[in-house]
Amino acid sequence: MQKNVLLIKYGEIFIRGKNKPKFYRKLADTILNRLGPNYIVIREQSRFVVEPVGDGGTGFGAALDRLKNTPGITSVCPAIKTDDLSIENLRGLALSHMVENYPAATFKVEARRSDKKYPMDSMQIAADVGGYIFNSGNDFSVDVIKPDIVLRIELRSCAYIYSKEIKGISGLPVGSSGKATLLLSGGIDSPVAGYLISKRGVSLEAVYFHSPPYTSLNSIIKVKDLCEKLSVYTGEIKLNVINFTEVMLYIKNNAPEDKMTIFLKRSMLKAAGALAEKNGSEALVVGDSVAQVASQTLKAIAVIDQAVVMPVLRPLCAFNKDDIINIAKEIGTFEISIRPFNDCCTVFVPKFPDTKPEPLAIQKINEGLNGLSLLIEKAIEAPEAYAFKF
Amino acid sequence: MGYIYFDNAATTKPLDNFLDNKLYSNPSSVHEFGINAMEAIVSVKKYLAEKIGCSHEEIYFTSGATESNNIAVLGSNNKSIITTKNQHPSVAGPIKALHQKKSTVKYLDVLGGFLNIRELEYAIDQDTTLISLTHVNNESGITEDIKKLGFLIKKNNPRALFHVDGAQSFGKFEINLKACNIDLFTFSAHKIHGNKGFGGLVINKGVNIKPLFYGGQQQNGIRPGTEDAMAALAFKKACSAAFDNIQKNYQHAATLRDTMAALLSEIPDCVINTDLENSSPYILNASFLGIKGEILLNALSEKGVYVATGAACSGRQVSNNLIAHNFPEGHAESAIRFSFSRYNTVQEVELCVSILKGEVKKLRGES
């Protein structure tokens, strides 16, 4: 019996020592969750195998895309699986795989066997099948140095034959490293920060600060679209939209102009931190890159982070703008981020922002802003929530 | 209801049942059904020709004003162009593209939205091949005296082509293209309660236009592609409703605009950017100083009042068009465009201003 399957390779889990089983389970669950009920996942030694339920069609198109964008997976190989390990069967399947996929090519065969009792060793299997394909009368010639096609045969409990390996995004399965709350602004950076952190196995919940009428409805649509795009990589993601107008106006009217942004960001962290505690997050994630703008200088970061106890992760802290943009383009968030709508950070911008705020001064001003905490609490009482799943 | 729509310069509500004919045959088909469709299209062109003072053979239907402006600019002899700095992107865009390639372009300043006639005359020389101007500016409503400009252009260089973008004036202002010396005239259906994706370009006989794309011989090969009799008939309905009551509609818009202008004067630091004497009554552009236009727009939108800052086509940023008007500092950033149609009422204007008063106060932190 033979079947079309997807062979899944994963990387970093290898180094996880005793925790390995937890990671395996997480990855298997993630795969099942992303592919839905029409597929099953089987564990082979150092591989997962995705099979369609029943005889199944050959339609792996959407499944393939989903898997290659799943953190924890290093590559996905569309393969033929067979439980008849006889060399005659392998020869036949290998040849038909070549004929179906390539009109003409230079190739070589690479074989691996985990069953050392198999009557032929890896070299012999490769030579045998390679010879069979070469002599089949098709337009295939052998090139062991730089072949167009490397046909791989893996003998495990079943045999797998494949010639394409589609690179995944690697990392760790989402959820295996806990949960964090991502502050999404609608700009270019924060979705990229979310993407990178989710590749480290962190599951995400997002928060957006809306300030009508200073930001338009289109900004919410933009952030929703960003979440939808992010969910391709992060899996299900919940977005909380918080109305921050009152907080913003309070800061504008009560804080020194040059420190407005600092207090706004502190308030956002506070609000997100409170939300994060409720939703079981262990960290906050922001899109800052050191010295990119006035509120992202080291001194500004220091006084902003003082507003919360929870760690604030900045996965982009050492990235250049160009590099961030390249990733944003790769993951498809760039086009959404550059839509010309104001986000919450761009509406009230001081003309000469303080780039070197002193902790003591900030603390003193903060003491004077005694209405702020209540406004923040009020703002996070009932966020509008949306869920996105790819 | 439940909302006030004052964004009629962006687009208008289509007439009820405007597309109730079933003339779907291909007008190029030689059977009777096809011939009927072609006759219908010709009849629409004849009707229109009479209304705007041209021959029906000079009318080319297009997908709308953007395409028409592109054909006019890119398809004509465009070696040496004169235009103003406050053009719609569908004129400014192709001209910029030509400027980067080979054409010489003179951009005239506009003060308060008006071009300076002396400057125009000074700019025209014997090499000038195309002069592209707008009848009614889409953002400010400022209206040029097209007849006078046409006369002066031809006086200074009879060979220079005169292109007029009439998207905001068509069906609202009476015009006679021949009397105005217009060689190329752009119009659009959806600004007068017609169908989107439909408009046209009038090309004066004798003007040589290169098509932008090639296909069959429809519309003399200048604008090939299967013609749409259904859309043409729908467009005619919109035209009749506009042209048959052109004075009445104009008066109605003027009443709305003037009422609005009077009421706005009660709002402190609200300035009308438009010279009411010389602008279309269908558009009123006002600035609420100190408040970004976009923010006020959002606030009004939440209350069900739909207006615009710049043109809808240029997104939410302050448009180059408005900046080029050279209004006093701070006006362009805080400008709001109210644009009216015959379906708007004085009550809506009153309601709109009372909502405005509240929102402006709130945004200025006065309440």
Side-chain angles (χ1 to χ4, degrees):
Chain A
M1 230 236 344
Q2 76 202 50
K3 246 183 175 180
N4 288 315
V5 300
L6 295 177
L7 206 58
I8 298 194
K9 302 183 183 178
Y10 40 84
E12 251 183 82
I13 297 179
F14 284 128
I15 58 172
R16 292 287 143 168
K18 281 187 191 143
N19 276 329
K20 260 192 226 169
K22 190 184 109 191
F23 284 91
Y24 287 136
R25 214 171 313 122
K26 202 84 212 177
L27 186 56
D29 285 351
T30 308
I31 293 171
L32 277 176
N33 191 11
R34 292 203 177 187
L35 298 188
N38 293 328
Y39 297 91
I40 53 169
V41 178
I42 299 164
R43 190 141 154 240
E44 276 273 13
Q45 195 188 7
S46 71
R47 302 273 187 271
F48 278 116
V49 182
V50 170
E51 285 186 15
V53 171
D55 287 338
T58 47
F60 277 114
L64 216 148
D65 274 342
R66 281 172 192 217
L67 293 176
K68 78 171 193 221
N69 290 326
T70 301
I73 292 176
T74 52
S75 63
V76 185
C77 316
I80 305 164
K81 172 185 173 179
T82 174
D83 48 14
D84 175 358
L85 304 190
S86 70
I87 191 71
E88 293 80 13
N89 182 48
L90 297 182
R91 282 178 196 148
L93 286 180
L95 178 61
S96 60
H97 174 84
M98 288 295 287
V99 172
E100 273 165 33
N101 288 289
Y102 311 102
T106 61
F107 77 103
K108 74 170 173 178
V109 178
E110 280 184 2
R112 284 173 71 162
R113 46 162 209 170
S114 54
D115 176 10
K116 304 295 175 200
K117 286 186 204 129
Y118 194 79
M120 299 163 83
D121 69 18
S122 301
M123 293 296 284
Q124 288 170 323
I125 299 169
D128 183 293
V129 174
Y132 184 77
I133 293 170
F134 179 67
N135 293 318
S136 64
N138 290 288
D139 199 356
F140 296 125
S141 54
V142 175
D143 180 347
V144 291
I145 313 288
K146 223 181 153 190
D148 301 330
I149 307 299
V150 179
L151 183 73
R152 295 178 203 273
I153 301 173
E154 293 185 6
L155 298 186
R156 300 168 185 279
S157 59
C158 293
Y160 301 90
I161 299 170
Y162 61 95
S163 58
K164 278 184 198 140
E165 183 159 352
I166 294 137
K167 216 170 147 342
I169 59 173
S170 300
L172 293 166
V174 168
S176 65
S177 325
K179 182 173 175 179
T181 293
L182 168 71
L183 284 82
L184 267 183
S185 68
I188 295 167
D189 302 344
S190 49
V192 174
Y195 163 75
L196 291 179
I197 211 74
S198 79
K199 280 211 302 178
R200 297 311 302 152
V202 177
S203 73
L204 290 177
E205 184 159 330
V207 51
Y208 171 67
F209 296 96
H210 183 44
S211 15
Y214 301 94
T215 53
S216 79
L217 267 185
N218 280 317
S219 314
I220 295 189
I221 294 170
K222 179 178 177 184
V223 173
K224 282 184 179 171
D225 290 349
L226 284 173
C227 280
E228 196 176 356
K229 189 58 88 181
L230 267 183
S231 74
V232 171
Y233 310 97
T234 62
E236 193 167 344
I237 186 166
K238 185 178 159 194
L239 167 69
N240 302 282
V241 176
I242 291 178
N243 187 322
F244 228 45
T245 307
E246 300 270 317
V247 176
M248 263 179 52
L249 289 175
Y250 181 86
I251 292 169
K252 183 176 179 264
N253 295 330
N254 294 288
E257 199 204 327
D258 66 336
K259 297 183 178 58
M260 244 160 53
T261 317
I262 286 169
F263 280 99
L264 183 60
K265 289 193 97 175
R266 279 172 60 102
S267 306
M268 287 176 174
L269 283 191
K270 256 191 200 160
L275 206 74
E277 265 171 36
K278 276 193 229 164
N279 70 29
S281 290
E282 295 157 81
L284 299 174
V285 182
V286 299
D288 294 355
S289 165
V290 170
Q292 180 174 225
V293 291
S295 64
Q296 296 174 15
T297 61
L298 290 179
K299 281 202 158 57
I301 287 174
V303 296
I304 287 169
D305 282 10
Q306 276 173 358
V308 282
V309 183
M310 202 171 268
V312 181
L313 305 179
R314 291 183 168 78
L316 302 179
C317 70
F319 278 59
N320 296 333
K321 194 74 187 182
D322 286 350
D323 302 332
I324 300 172
I325 287 174
N326 284 338
I327 300 177
K329 282 182 176 163
E330 231 168 75
I331 63 174
T333 54
F334 183 74
E335 295 301 322
I336 304 170
S337 291
I338 58 169
R339 288 184 204 159
F341 308 121
N342 275 338
D343 64 43
C344 49
C345 303
T346 61
V347 180
F348 292 125
V349 188
K351 275 198 187 109
F352 303 103
D354 185 357
T355 55
K356 291 176 187 163
E358 287 303 325
L360 277 177
I362 295 293
Q363 210 182 325
K364 200 151 180 215
I365 298 167
N366 191 45
E367 279 160 17
L369 300 176
N370 39 27
L372 198 51
S373 296
L374 202 67
L375 286 176
I376 294 174
E377 264 172 48
K378 220 177 95 194
I380 58 171
E381 254 168 27
E384 269 176 62
Y386 307 91
F388 298 90
K389 194 179 171 192
F390 179 55
Chain B
M1 263 308 277
Y3 63 87
I4 298 176
Y5 185 76
F6 280 168
D7 197 14
N8 291 285
T11 193
T12 52
K13 184 180 100 173
L15 297 178
D16 292 337
N17 306 321
F18 75 95
L19 196 65
D20 60 359
N21 67 85
K22 296 280 177 290
L23 203 48
Y24 65 82
S25 52
N26 188 325
S28 301
S29 294
V30 285
H31 46 65
E32 195 181 343
F33 199 17
I35 291 166
N36 288 345
M38 184 52 91
E39 281 183 340
I41 289 173
V42 172
S43 77
V44 174
K45 287 185 175 175
K46 281 184 173 161
Y47 167 84
L48 185 59
E50 196 192 310
K51 295 290 173 195
I52 58 176
C54 64
S55 142
H56 75 273
E57 288 151 337
E58 295 172 320
I59 298 175
Y60 295 81
F61 287 145
T62 67
S63 64
T66 292
E67 186 191 335
S68 300
N69 284 337
N70 271 271
I71 296 176
V73 172
L74 299 174
S76 61
N77 181 351
N78 47 33
K79 277 195 197 89
S80 175
I81 304 172
I82 297 173
T83 189
T84 62
K85 287 180 180 167
N86 63 341
Q87 292 296 318
H88 187 274
S90 61
V91 172
I95 289 179
K96 188 177 166 199
L98 290 171
H99 195 186
Q100 284 163 348
K101 275 194 202 154
K102 55 180 170 88
S103 304
T104 53
V105 181
K106 291 178 191 164
Y107 291 99
L108 303 181
D109 280 318
V110 281
L111 192 61
F114 290 98
L115 72 83
N116 181 326
I117 287 179
R118 294 223 178 291
E119 225 178 283
L120 173 68
E121 283 198 276
Y122 182 74
I124 301 172
D125 56 32
Q126 291 315 299
D127 294 332
T128 306
T129 57
L130 175 68
I131 296 167
S132 182
L133 300 174
T134 303
H135 190 184
V136 171
N137 185 279
N138 61 311
E139 302 204 4
S140 63
I142 281 168
T143 305
E144 297 287 1
D145 184 344
I146 286 299
K147 197 169 177 182
K148 188 171 169 189
L149 293 174
F151 174 79
L152 290 174
I153 287 168
K154 295 298 173 184
K155 190 182 96 182
N156 285 281
N157 180 349
R159 279 164 299 134
L161 297 178
F162 184 26
H163 168 231
V164 173
D165 178 358
Q168 295 290 351
S169 65
F170 175 74
K172 296 170 182 164
F173 286 64
E174 288 186 39
I175 193 166
N176 184 308
L177 302 183
K178 292 281 176 284
C180 294
N181 289 302
I182 294 171
D183 299 296
L184 299 155
F185 181 75
T186 295
F187 60 89
S188 167
H190 76 104
K191 308 282 190 195
I192 56 161
H193 308 281
N195 26 339
K196 289 182 184 57
F198 197 87
L201 180 67
V202 181
I203 304 173
N204 203 354
K205 215 173 268 169
V207 171
N208 195 12
I209 289 284
K210 261 191 270 163
L212 296 193
F213 39 86
Y214 296 84
Q217 270 310 302
Q218 295 97 336
Q219 305 203 77
N220 297 335
I222 286 176
R223 208 297 189 165
T226 303
E227 291 156 279
D228 186 347
M230 286 169 72
L233 287 171
F235 171 59
K236 187 183 171 190
K237 271 194 187 175
C239 285
S240 323
F243 283 104
D244 293 353
N245 301 302
I246 200 162
Q247 282 306 330
K248 201 178 123 208
N249 293 340
Y250 189 94
Q251 275 315 318
H252 180 67
T255 307
L256 298 174
R257 196 262 318 255
D258 295 344
T259 309
M260 182 122 203
L263 290 172
L264 285 180
S265 66
E266 295 168 13
I267 298 179
D269 283 329
C270 167
V271 287
I272 309 256
N273 292 319
T274 325
D275 170 11
L276 299 186
E277 291 278 296
N278 294 302
S279 59
S280 163
Y282 288 89
I283 295 175
L284 179 65
N285 194 300
S287 290
F288 300 81
L289 301 179
I291 304 174
K292 270 194 194 168
E294 185 197 333
I295 292 167
L296 185 53
L297 179 147
N298 292 338
L300 291 176
S301 163
E302 260 182 58
K303 293 279 192 289
V305 179
Y306 304 142
V307 299
T309 48
C313 341
S314 43
R316 294 290 185 275
Q317 312 287 15
V318 179
S319 70
N320 292 333
N321 182 336
L322 211 53
I323 289 169
H325 273 70
N326 276 316
F327 291 142
E329 206 184 319
H331 286 209
E333 294 73 21
S334 57
I336 293 281
R337 178 185 73 181
F338 305 91
S339 49
F340 311 107
S341 84
R342 58 176 180 269
Y343 296 112
N344 291 126
T345 62
V346 170
Q347 287 77 17
E348 287 179 328
V349 169
E350 289 166 351
L351 185 56
C352 169
V353 175
S354 81
I355 292 172
L356 254 172
K357 281 180 182 165
E359 295 306 312
V360 165
K361 252 192 184 164
K362 245 193 263 170
L363 291 172
R364 287 191 176 140
E366 291 163 6
S367 69

